[in-house]
Amino acid sequence: MRIRYNTYNNKNHLFYKNRQINDNLEQQTQALFKSWFVDFEPFRGGKFVDSELGMIPEGWNIQPISSIFNFQEGPGIRNWQYVNNGTKFINIRCINNDIINIQNANMISDEEAQGKYAHFMLKENDIVTSVIRFTPRINRQLGFLYGYLGSSLFLNKQIELASGSVQANFGPIHLKGMSIAIPDNNVLNQFSDIVNSIIQKKKNIISESLRLTNLRDSILPKLMSGKIKIDKLNS
C-alpha cells in the first residue's frame, strides 16, 4: 500500500484547528457566563438588592451549589486492584485539555466495577473535574453547570476555600460550603439552552479528534515496521 504524504505546518494541522475551535467555544461560554452571572448585564435594567455575595438582581436567591448540582468524588483504588482485563478506571492522569482519554487507563475487575463501585460509573453528560463528577439536579441545566465549573467565579472560590494546592486538597467538603446567586429556572434554562448547543459542538469536535488519534495510532506501528510505504511530497 502506498500513501502520498504532504508535510505541512502545525498551524494547518487538523488537531491544531480542532483545538483552536474548542478554545474559542470555551471562551464564548465563559464570556457568556460572566455577562449573565457575574456582571448581570442582561438584567441591568431592573432593580438590584444587597446580599451576602454583593449586589444581585432583585428576585435572585443565594443558594448552596449542593442544592443545584450533585457532585461525587471518585473512589480510592489501590494498585493491587488493577487487572489486565476489566473496566477502565479514570484518574487525574486521564484528563487533559478538556478530554478524558481512557486509551491507556488502568482497569479494575468487571465484578468490582458492576458491584461495589457501580454508583461511580459515569453517564453521558456527566462533567468531571479533578476526578469529581458533577451533574445538574435539573437535566436541562447542564449548560449552566458547565459554564459555572469553567468560570473564574468557581476557580476563585476554590482558591479561597482550599488549603495548599487546589488540585490536591479541594474536594466535596469545600463544595458543600459554596454558594451562588441563582435566578429563577426560566433564566437558567435560557442560558443552558444556549450553552448546551456549544457543548454539543465541542463534543463533536472532540469525537473527531479522538477518531483521528485512534487512526494515527493504528497506522503508526505499520509505518514504523515498513508495512506502509510513504512518498513524501514537499508542499
Side-chain angles (χ1 to χ4, degrees):
M1 179 178 181
R2 185 174 290 271
I3 295 179
R4 299 169 74 88
Y5 172 79
N6 289 330
T7 57
Y8 45 83
N9 189 283
N10 283 338
K11 290 185 178 180
N12 295 322
H13 197 290
L14 187 53
F15 287 102
Y16 179 87
K17 287 184 177 180
N18 282 350
R19 181 62 190 170
Q20 290 295 99
I21 293 171
N22 266 352
D23 285 347
N24 181 261
L25 291 173
E26 183 63 26
Q27 290 170 16
Q28 290 179 36
T29 300
Q30 291 313 313
L32 191 64
F33 185 90
K34 183 176 184 294
S35 171
W36 283 46
F37 299 103
V38 178
D39 299 330
F40 307 116
E41 291 175 351
F43 316 101
R44 285 294 179 187
K47 182 180 178 181
F48 278 65
V49 296
D50 197 12
S51 77
E52 62 188 85
L53 296 180
M55 300 298 291
I56 61 174
E58 187 176 33
W60 289 38
N61 297 306
I62 305 301
Q63 296 183 31
I65 66 169
S66 58
S67 69
I68 311 160
F69 314 137
N70 293 311
F71 44 84
Q72 178 188 38
E73 192 170 31
I77 302 294
R78 301 190 178 185
N79 289 338
W80 58 265
Q81 292 177 267
Y82 294 136
V83 297
N84 292 326
N85 292 291
T87 299
K88 290 189 174 181
F89 173 76
I90 293 173
N91 59 30
I92 193 67
R93 292 186 297 274
C94 299
I95 304 174
N96 186 36
N97 291 330
D98 294 337
I99 296 176
I100 296 178
N101 189 341
I102 63 172
Q103 184 173 358
N104 296 317
N106 292 322
M107 290 183 285
I108 61 175
S109 70
D110 292 333
E111 181 181 8
E112 284 194 315
Q114 297 165 15
K116 64 180 179 179
Y117 297 129
H119 59 295
F120 290 104
M121 298 294 285
L122 293 179
K123 300 179 179 64
E124 185 177 4
N125 291 329
D126 285 349
I127 298 178
V128 178
T129 174
S130 298
V131 197
I132 297 175
R133 182 249 301 272
F134 292 85
T135 54
R137 291 190 179 273
I138 299 177
N139 288 335
R140 186 178 172 185
Q141 293 172 5
L142 174 69
F144 175 70
L145 169 62
Y146 183 84
Y148 176 67
L149 293 179
S151 69
S152 58
L153 194 66
F154 180 60
L155 176 60
N156 291 338
K157 197 63 179 179
Q158 288 183 72
I159 295 172
E160 177 186 334
L161 292 177
S163 57
S165 168
V166 172
Q167 187 178 49
N169 296 311
F170 190 85
I173 189 172
H174 301 97
L175 291 168
K176 292 177 181 178
M178 296 175 66
S179 298
I180 186 174
I182 295 293
D184 60 40
N185 281 336
N186 287 333
V187 173
L188 289 179
N189 290 341
Q190 289 174 31
F191 178 85
S192 289
D193 287 346
I194 297 170
V195 176
N196 287 346
S197 66
I198 296 176
I199 292 173
Q200 188 58 52
K201 290 177 183 177
K202 291 193 68 175
K203 287 169 66 175
N204 293 340
I205 291 171
I206 289 171
S207 293
E208 180 184 38
S209 294
L210 290 175
R211 180 182 63 80
L212 292 172
T213 298
N214 291 334
L215 180 62
R216 178 201 63 193
D217 292 344
S218 66
I219 291 177
L220 187 59
K222 295 179 181 179
L223 294 176
M224 299 298 291
S225 66
K227 291 183 179 179
I228 298 178
K229 295 181 179 180
I230 300 177
D231 282 340
K232 291 186 177 180
L233 300 178
N234 292 322
S235 57

